[in-house]
Amino acid sequence: MPKLVANSDVQLDKAVRTFVSKVGRESNLTIVDKEITYKNFLSNKMLIVHSIRRGIPYDLYELIKERTPFKQEDWADFLGVSARTLLRNKTKSNYVFESIPSEKILELAEVTSLGKDVFDTEEQFYMWLNTPNFALGNLKPFELLKDSYGKEMVMNELHKIDYGIFV
């Protein structure tokens, strides 16, 4: 693993631990795993629910964004805001996304995490996202990520690929 990616992983894991600690305190949750990682965080649905309700801080969003294939304009489109609004939010001290954008951020994080696990390389995953898919009505998986139902369809296809079920 390149040093840059490893450093990014450490930074993201640390940011997740800090965030999860705050979520735990504010939601009266007992966080069993004090050394939670980004990957573990994404697999803990109850923690995700509480995190969405609290809202994702901008600095955590930026670390997640770095791990995805999406451009600033894509993120703005997914979150239903302009790219300028996203940049303006960055300048606000301790900005926290509301629940609906927070949910979308975590959905895209889940897709990206699973996609990177399923495919041998990030490049293969990114190519798959941008290739029309017969099982998805000849749409590109990327095009389905704008809503929750589409995201679930993409996740299902990724799971099928992971299990070796090709259509």
Side-chain angles (χ1 to χ4, degrees), residues 111-164:
V111 169
T112 301
S113 180
L114 179 59
K116 288 180 177 181
D117 286 347
V118 168
F119 289 92
D120 291 333
T121 66
E122 288 182 18
E123 291 75 22
Q124 287 176 338
F125 169 55
Y126 300 158
M127 189 169 53
W128 179 82
L129 277 175
N130 289 295
T131 303
N133 187 307
F134 179 76
L136 298 173
N138 284 327
L139 293 173
K140 297 175 184 176
F142 178 86
E143 296 170 326
L144 292 169
L145 295 178
K146 292 183 182 182
D147 53 66
S148 295
Y149 285 104
K151 173 255 182 181
E152 285 303 315
M153 292 171 68
V154 170
M155 292 288 284
N156 288 337
E157 284 308 304
L158 286 169
H159 284 296
K160 287 177 185 177
I161 292 167
D162 196 28
Y163 297 136

Side-chain angles (χ1 to χ4, degrees), residues 76-91:
D77 193 33
F78 290 141
L79 300 177
V81 298
S82 70
R84 288 184 59 168
T85 298
L86 262 183
L87 289 174
R88 242 189 328 270
N89 292 342
K90 180 179 183 172
T91 63

Side-chain angles (χ1 to χ4, degrees), residues 13-81:
D13 288 346
K14 183 178 178 185
V16 164
R17 279 192 286 279
T18 301
F19 175 66
V20 165
S21 174
K22 288 178 186 173
V23 169
R25 282 193 306 274
E26 292 174 7
S27 303
N28 291 324
L29 288 174
T30 303
I31 307 298
V32 177
D33 185 3
K34 300 295 183 196
E35 294 299 313
I36 193 165
T37 64
Y38 175 65
K39 194 170 197 82
N40 294 358
F41 169 67
L42 291 177
S43 65
N44 186 328
K45 299 302 181 190
M46 188 57 70
L47 188 52
I48 293 271
V49 167
H50 286 287
S51 298
I52 289 168
R53 291 177 180 170
R54 184 196 185 282
I56 300 296
Y58 197 92
D59 59 339
L60 180 56
Y61 154 74
E62 281 209 308
L63 291 169
I64 291 170
K65 182 178 79 164
E66 289 174 12
R67 299 190 48 106
T68 69
F70 312 120
K71 300 178 200 133
Q72 184 79 2
E73 296 78 23
D74 298 330
W75 276 103
D77 193 33
F78 290 141
L79 300 177
V81 298

